[in-house]
Amino acid sequence: QLQLQESGPGLVKPSETLSLTCTVSGGSISSSSYYWGWIRQPPGKGLEWIGSIYYSGSTYYNPSLKSRVTISVDTSKNQFSLKLSSVTAADTAVYYCVSSSGWYAPERYWGQGTLVTVSS
Amino acid sequence: QSVLTQPPSASGTPGQRVTISCSGSSSNIGSNTVNWYQQLPGTAPKLLIYSNNQRPSGVPDRFSGSKSGTSASLAISGLQSEDEADYYCAAWDDSLRVFGTGTKVTVL
């Protein structure tokens, strides 16, 4: 049973870069069995897919965020990370790390989520 | 950026049947399978239905899903107080993962 846990600053200043890490337990991030991704949810609003990464390093991003997003994997720490640059108040949201068993498979495992607020 | 449309709210009394619709297009629901997620207050979403109508282990059989053309539905039979939550549909739209606008289910 995979377990995911997000970590990172809860407050980021406008124009800076948001950085979050997801620590995976109960499975290897190098496994070909999983895709790893990020989904966010602004307060009181719906879900937005940010992007996904495969163990090989192949990445897939939401076109609306693609110019500002980087998702990467650190196999030595069994972690994957999210970087979102040039943030504004519109990026304030709960950020979830997720995992699925295939590219078109549903997100079966979710972290508890972490609230990131963009404010000066 | 939700491209799947759901009613904002639905309600019912305990024991009743509640149905939630999810409307999309030929590029998402019309071409790919639909998943449903349940989000209890203050918690992360949980996979409720995958591949249109399949329940993960542990999901009660009073939850059921269906799909027809470019629309999908989630039905909750025998509504219980613990079903009060937000529900989201999801599908792939080419290489973009899209979610529904969400439906808040209230148990009266």
Side-chain angles (χ1 to χ4, degrees):
Chain A
Q1 181 83 354
L2 279 181
Q3 292 189 336
L4 309 178
Q5 177 67 59
E6 306 88 351
S7 60
L11 181 64
V12 180
K13 290 183 168 54
S15 79
E16 295 189 344
T17 296
L18 178 160
S19 295
L20 295 175
T21 297
C22 183
T23 301
V24 178
S25 57
S28 172
I29 202 156
S30 301
S31 170
S32 60
S33 300
Y34 302 108
Y35 277 77
W36 312 98
W38 292 92
I39 289 170
R40 71 180 182 178
Q41 184 174 35
K45 296 188 178 181
L47 302 167
E48 181 180 31
W49 179 72
I50 299 171
S52 297
I53 188 167
Y54 193 41
Y55 82 103
S56 62
S58 298
T59 51
Y60 309 87
Y61 298 136
N62 187 324
S64 69
L65 299 169
K66 188 174 183 178
S67 63
R68 299 193 291 131
V69 172
T70 302
I71 297 176
S72 59
V73 168
D74 186 336
T75 56
S76 67
K77 296 181 180 178
N78 220 38
Q79 297 174 334
F80 63 103
S81 65
L82 167 70
K83 291 188 185 301
L84 181 66
S85 64
S86 304
V87 297
T88 69
D91 295 309
T92 294
V94 174
Y95 286 76
Y96 296 100
C97 57
V98 298
S99 178
S100 58
S101 59
W103 173 233
Y104 285 107
E107 297 79 6
R108 194 173 291 265
Y109 302 100
W110 295 66
Q112 65 183 25
T114 187
L115 174 62
V116 178
T117 301
V118 178
S119 175
S120 55
Chain B
Q1 194 195 4
S2 300
V3 297
L4 305 180
T5 303
Q6 299 177 233
S9 63
S11 63
T13 57
Q16 278 190 328
R17 176 184 172 91
V18 170
T19 301
I20 302 168
S21 62
C22 174
S23 178
S25 67
S26 58
S27 63
N28 41 65
I29 294 178
S31 305
N32 299 292
T33 60
V34 176
N35 312 122
W36 289 90
Y37 297 87
Q38 177 193 57
Q39 186 174 32
L40 297 171
T43 69
K46 167 193 165 184
L47 180 63
L48 200 64
I49 296 287
Y50 67 96
S51 297
N52 302 327
N53 55 18
Q54 301 299 302
R55 288 185 307 276
S57 175
V59 173
D61 60 6
R62 51 201 183 77
F63 291 96
S64 62
S66 64
K67 178 185 126 173
S68 179
T70 59
S71 295
S73 293
L74 172 72
I76 310 173
S77 302
L79 190 67
Q80 298 184 6
S81 58
E82 57 260 39
D83 299 332
E84 190 158 287
D86 294 325
Y87 294 82
Y88 294 91
C89 57
W92 284 97
D93 191 320
D94 194 8
S95 295
L96 174 65
R97 183 67 160 156
V98 292
F99 289 91
T101 48
T103 299
K104 182 175 182 58
V105 169
T106 300
V107 181
L108 301 172

